[in-house]
Amino acid sequence: MNKVLEWLINEGPSFILVIILLFVSLKFFNIAIRRLKKIFAHRTAKSDEVSTLETIKRMNTLMAILKALGRIIIWSVFLMIILKKLGIDIGPILAGAGILGLAVGFGAQELVRDFISGFFILLENQVRTGDVVIINGTGGLVEKIELRTITLRDFSGVVHVFQNGKIDTIANMTKEWSAIVFDIGVA
């Protein structure tokens, strides 16, 4: 009982401070993402060479990925600090994670291919959230783009999830401009 009380007196305040810093960091990160989004939107409004709607779609897609990546990093750092505060040596954990990462890298070639393909889909601005596309013969509205998958809702409401590494063809029907073609028979 004395050891627990001694730990609470010595380490408790710093433990609480780390938890407070986690929430403050997450709040500042969210504020920074919103400001970055506003800056990009302001620059887009000034530029006449690109469509505002297209740029907003791309910006929303990239900001969602950046937000998820930032949260993962903040939580990982927080977890390592908490483990250190609890007296757990994180050196072997980090070394084990590196070795595990190497093993997973060899065993998860398909996963790596999905991430690399997703990175290039985003980099080349092929598809954005809100676009109407045909992926591998399935058409619909892009609901979510991640580094590993693209979520598509087809015209009858069915949700399809495509691994980026297995996408052979993408036909973007709303990039830059779109049109509707009607075949009307006249007697």
Side-chain angles (χ1 to χ4, degrees), residues 110-118 147-148 163-166:
E110 189 171 314
L111 183 67
V112 172
R113 185 182 66 214
D114 290 341
F115 278 110
I116 291 171
S117 296
L147 280 175
R148 198 178 80 74
Q163 292 179 338
N164 291 334
K166 293 186 177 181

Side-chain angles (χ1 to χ4, degrees), residues 17 26-28 30 74 98 106-107 124 127 150 156 176:
L17 181 65
L26 287 171
K27 190 70 173 172
F28 276 132
N30 287 334
I74 290 171
F106 285 124
E124 295 171 353
V127 179
I150 294 178
S156 61
E176 311 267 331

Side-chain angles (χ1 to χ4, degrees), residues 1 12 21 55 63 65 92 101-103 116 118 152 157 169 182:
M1 183 69 177
L21 284 175
T55 307
M63 287 298 152
I65 290 172
L102 186 63
I116 291 171
L152 181 79
T169 60
F182 291 100

